[in-house]
Amino acid sequence: MAPLVTKRPYRLFEIDDQEFTPANIRFLVQELLTAFWTARVPLIQRTSPASLAASVILHTLSTYPSDSSEPEIMIVDFASGAGGPTPTIERIVNTERRKRGQKEIVFTLSDIKPHIEAWRRASKQSMFLDHISRSVDATNPPQEVTSGRYGERKRVFRLYCLAFHHFDDDMAKKVLESTLETSDGFAYVPFLCLTATVDNITNVTRIVELVSRQVSSFILMLLYIPTIFVVTIFWYPFSLEMLFYTYVIPIVPFIVVFDGFISALRTRTFGEVLTLVDRSWAVTRSERTNVAYAKEGWTFEAGEQLHSWPVGYMNWIVGTKGARRGDRH
């Protein structure tokens, strides 16, 4: 593993999160971040990050039987914002499931501050994209997104995009505790996080970060500076506002890169995530440093894969609830 820039995560502010950031600038920043999720940058990426996220979900779902007698799967995106990459991920996942002869899955957008109009527009593009109009708190989720609501006829997966590193330690502990208590699995890709509520089969947890506190992640953010100036004209040729705030007054590139550095400083290592799990879950590390176990059959593993050549690595944590499987790859 590459060396870390800091010994611990720092809870610094991101400009795009602040109330003083104008709404139009915030929108442009989110648009560009979504584009970096859903588009492939030539030469340095084999596929888009959204495709990698979709592969995480598809691999997770492959753990569960898909015949008609099994409970239906539902994916709920917590902290959806204005939608982010989730509509693209939904399309990729369901396209692949159709190719495999499997039933499509409904993705549901939600947030503590609902973006109803944006979600309605996105939902019109796919019959498998829905939204929850009322406020949804990830630390105390409503009954319809927990296992008790649907009983044995529904598996609820929780999905978090661009969210987990935004939580301070207290909130992250509550999110994890809520997940372990009300779900039978979860996965994060934050960029994406996914949680699963399932019955008596093997269950899965993943925490995936496209940035980290490793030196390589900060090098990647520096490389984003010229990349933004190259790709924006091709991605947004008819958006005068995006072009103006990229090339004339480069506020958007500055915020994207600045917030990227802060996001990297906010991310947690595998060990740091494990310390957030309450002691009552009795987490123990194995002799293999990338594996840990907890009560009720939870197994956690960590790893990474290249998403942007040469230094952009996607870090992930996988957790399965069921039999211990240290070599699940």
Side-chain angles (χ1 to χ4, degrees):
M1 176 180 289
L4 298 178
V5 173
T6 63
K7 293 183 178 181
R8 62 179 179 85
Y10 284 91
R11 309 310 306 165
L12 304 175
F13 76 92
E14 296 182 29
I15 297 174
D16 196 51
D17 293 340
Q18 307 306 310
E19 293 295 332
F20 61 73
T21 304
N24 66 318
I25 298 299
R26 187 181 297 116
F27 174 80
L28 294 175
V29 169
Q30 292 173 354
E31 279 285 297
L32 189 57
L33 288 173
T34 298
F36 271 112
W37 255 104
T38 58
R40 183 184 72 86
V41 179
L43 301 180
I44 68 171
Q45 292 179 336
R46 292 184 177 181
T47 187
S48 69
S51 294
L52 290 177
S55 70
V56 170
I57 296 177
L58 286 164
H59 182 75
T60 300
L61 297 177
S62 69
T63 307
Y64 310 104
S66 58
D67 59 84
S68 58
S69 64
E70 293 298 326
E72 183 180 349
I73 296 171
M74 173 185 181
I75 294 180
V76 180
D77 179 12
F78 282 46
S80 299
T86 302
T88 300
I89 294 169
E90 177 273 318
R91 185 177 68 252
I92 296 171
V93 168
N94 281 324
T95 297
E96 183 60 30
R97 285 181 66 84
R98 282 191 289 271
K99 290 179 181 178
R100 299 178 183 182
Q102 298 173 333
K103 185 177 179 180
E104 292 89 346
I105 295 172
V106 173
F107 283 64
T108 301
L109 303 171
S110 70
D111 200 286
I112 196 166
K113 296 180 179 179
H115 295 249
I116 298 175
E117 290 304 317
W119 296 348
R120 285 175 178 168
R121 290 194 296 270
S123 297
K124 290 180 180 178
Q125 306 301 314
S126 173
M127 62 184 298
F128 302 108
L129 190 65
D130 200 357
H131 64 273
I132 298 175
S133 298
R134 64 190 180 94
S135 177
V136 175
D137 184 351
T139 65
N140 185 26
Q143 196 174 20
E144 61 260 39
V145 293
T146 63
S147 57
R149 171 66 174 82
Y150 293 104
E152 297 180 354
R153 301 312 308 163
K154 183 77 70 172
R155 299 191 190 117
V156 178
F157 286 74
R158 296 189 196 172
L159 172 66
Y160 296 83
C161 294
L162 300 163
F164 196 76
H165 67 273
H166 286 264
F167 301 147
D168 60 27
D169 285 353
D170 288 341
M171 183 171 290
K173 288 177 182 179
K174 292 177 182 178
V175 170
L176 288 173
E177 186 68 18
S178 171
T179 297
L180 294 176
E181 288 181 347
T182 65
S183 302
D184 292 81
F186 68 89
Y188 294 102
V189 188
F191 299 116
L192 167 86
C193 309
L194 161 76
T195 18
T197 299
V198 297
D199 44 14
N200 297 323
I201 1 182
T202 303
N203 311 305
V204 178
T205 299
R206 290 173 184 243
I207 299 179
V208 185
E209 295 275 8
L210 295 188
V211 292
S212 70
R213 299 199 324 272
Q214 296 176 17
V215 172
S216 59
S217 191
F218 291 86
I219 296 174
L220 176 67
M221 294 313 305
L222 290 175
L223 294 176
Y224 266 25
I225 297 173
T227 302
I228 291 172
F229 288 108
V230 171
V231 302
T232 300
I233 189 67
F234 297 102
W235 289 352
Y236 300 97
F238 305 112
S239 174
L240 295 180
E241 191 174 27
M242 179 70 82
L243 296 177
F244 180 81
Y245 286 113
T246 297
Y247 298 105
V248 181
I249 303 177
I251 295 175
V252 170
F254 173 77
I255 294 177
V256 168
V257 174
F258 178 88
D259 284 3
F261 278 111
I262 300 303
S263 294
L265 289 171
R266 283 176 155 189
T267 57
R268 300 174 176 93
T269 65
F270 180 48
E272 289 164 350
V273 171
L274 293 179
T275 62
L276 296 176
V277 180
D278 191 88
R279 291 183 179 180
S280 64
W281 290 93
V283 176
T284 57
R285 295 286 287 270
S286 74
E287 294 180 358
R288 292 171 53 191
T289 58
N290 66 328
V291 179
Y293 305 108
K295 72 176 186 179
E296 297 188 13
W298 283 98
T299 300
F300 301 95
E301 298 179 66
E304 64 180 18
Q305 68 182 90
L306 185 72
H307 72 82
S308 294
W309 184 86
V311 293
Y313 284 89
M314 182 174 74
N315 295 276
W316 51 262
I317 298 174
V318 178
T320 59
K321 185 178 180 181
R324 292 186 176 183
R325 298 186 300 174
D327 57 349
R328 97 172 224 90
H329 311 293

